[in-house]
Amino acid sequence: MPRSRHTALFALITVAALTLTACAEPADPAGGGSDKVSSRGKTPTTDVVSKVRKDEAAAKLLPAGVREAGTLRIASSVGAPPGAFYEKDGSTVAGADIDFADAAARVLGLELKREVASFEAILPALGSGKYDLGTGNFGVTDVRRRTIDFVTYINDGQGFAVREDSELKKVTDLTQLCGLDVATGAGTTFEVTLQENLPRCAEAGKKPYNVKTYADQAAVWISLQQNRSDVVMSTINGLRYAVSQQEGLRFLNEFKRLDVGFAFKKGTPLAPAFQAAVNRLKEDGTYDRILKKWGTSESAIETSEISPPELK
């Protein structure tokens, strides 16, 4: 996103009280952070990365050329907390995705050269070799596994949020959305799911729902607040954070869980090393501290996997 555009959006969100910054209690002396959501507009500042040390066994799994270079190019999608977002200065990125990537890199003794890229552009760019890996709360799906390798680090998924005055109580079947305007992010699994199921409304003799996609997560929420959409479909963790920050909205329900992972070009030799790095973070407690910092402990996985089948 161009800097000027982002700055304008950030200002708009702040003024309109739609700030999507994460909240947390002040860090405890042990650096543990907290799962409890506190007052609006506060961003967790607990340092959960700098004390992570290199693990030689994990680092040895890297290709020799990568170990010698000591750097990797990472593309990060920046949307909304708790995944990845801009701090108030408009340029510093923060979030769980950022912490997990930085911590894994420290385990492997690597420096990440980070570039912010749009969500929908990252996976194709991995295939072209522009980046070595990408983050963006990428859900592991069977379709994506055909061209992308994943190393899982959390479990998140799909859910819904609405305005408080909505008659929707829970969405267990997408035909419940028929006739409504549904806002979601462009190029996401949510857009794919909605488009694939769109014919079901006609089959049920109902008016189809209208899928409204936005490249900027802030625009998704603005559309809901301004009655230009009736419901938002997004990540479970992102929805829970967003409604805690905005008046007049409520989290509806989880719809489908998905594993989330670092994304790589298909056939990458980097996957075993990053899998080992995530599992090392679980062993030394860093993994749980990152989740606790961002209030997403329910997204913990037992062990990191390489491109597991899509959760059904």
Side-chain angles (χ1 to χ4, degrees):
M1 179 192 305
R3 175 69 181 278
S4 59
R5 184 183 179 192
H6 169 76
T7 303
L9 267 175
F10 186 88
L12 174 61
I13 295 170
T14 302
V15 172
L18 297 178
T19 310
L20 292 180
T21 50
C23 340
E25 294 293 335
D28 61 58
S34 172
D35 276 343
K36 183 180 179 181
V37 174
S38 63
S39 59
R40 287 183 170 88
K42 291 186 178 180
T43 302
T45 57
T46 308
D47 179 4
V48 291
V49 175
S50 67
K51 293 183 180 180
V52 175
R53 297 292 176 258
K54 181 179 179 179
D55 182 83
E56 295 296 340
K60 286 181 180 179
L61 296 175
L62 290 167
V66 174
R67 289 201 307 271
E68 293 170 5
T71 62
L72 287 177
R73 300 159 298 168
I74 182 171
S76 296
S77 171
V78 176
F85 62 100
Y86 284 103
E87 290 280 16
K88 291 183 178 180
D89 62 9
S91 60
T92 303
V93 293
D97 284 349
I98 306 303
D99 283 346
F100 273 119
D102 290 348
R106 291 183 71 89
V107 170
L108 299 175
L110 298 173
E111 178 184 356
L112 296 179
K113 301 294 185 180
R114 178 173 281 110
E115 182 177 324
V116 173
S118 64
F119 179 92
E120 61 270 26
I122 292 178
L123 298 186
L126 293 173
S128 70
K130 184 177 181 179
Y131 306 111
D132 298 304
L133 72 154
T135 58
N137 204 281
F138 290 114
V140 181
T141 68
D142 290 337
V143 171
R144 285 177 173 169
R145 290 193 307 134
R146 296 171 190 166
T147 57
I148 297 293
D149 280 341
F150 293 93
V151 172
T152 60
Y153 59 94
I154 62 168
N155 175 273
D156 196 348
Q158 305 174 340
F160 297 95
V162 294
R163 291 184 301 276
E164 285 185 345
D165 61 1
S166 173
E167 295 182 0
L168 280 174
K169 303 302 180 185
K170 188 175 183 180
V171 176
T172 57
D173 190 290
L174 293 182
T175 56
Q176 293 172 258
L177 302 176
C178 296
L180 301 180
D181 290 320
V182 186
T184 194
T188 61
T189 59
F190 320 114
E191 180 183 8
V192 172
T193 298
L194 290 167
Q195 294 292 355
E196 286 181 347
N197 286 273
L198 192 57
R200 296 181 58 207
C201 289
E203 293 168 2
K206 299 180 179 181
K207 180 181 178 181
Y209 51 75
N210 178 35
V211 182
K212 307 180 76 170
T213 59
Y214 299 89
D216 301 316
Q217 192 66 22
V220 173
W221 292 107
I222 291 171
S223 76
L224 184 64
Q225 288 279 21
Q226 295 183 348
N227 296 313
R228 289 185 281 109
S229 61
D230 302 300
V231 57
V232 166
M233 187 177 189
S234 190
T235 66
I236 295 167
N237 290 338
L239 291 170
R240 291 187 187 278
Y241 259 86
V243 299
S244 76
Q245 294 296 297
Q246 303 179 59
E247 296 288 351
L249 303 182
R250 59 185 166 88
F251 176 75
L252 208 54
N253 64 283
E254 296 184 9
F255 184 70
K256 179 182 179 179
R257 280 276 173 176
L258 285 173
D259 287 322
V260 172
F262 299 117
F264 303 85
K265 180 179 180 179
K266 190 71 176 177
T268 179
L270 298 173
F274 273 82
Q275 179 189 30
V278 173
N279 288 329
R280 176 58 185 159
L281 293 174
K282 288 186 67 68
E283 292 171 4
D284 70 15
T286 301
Y287 182 89
D288 288 337
R289 285 190 286 273
I290 294 175
L291 291 181
K292 189 175 183 181
K293 173 182 177 179
W294 297 106
T296 56
S297 293
E298 292 182 357
S299 285
I301 58 175
E302 291 186 8
T303 187
S304 177
E305 297 182 88
I306 298 174
S307 298
E310 179 179 348
L311 295 177
K312 301 297 184 183

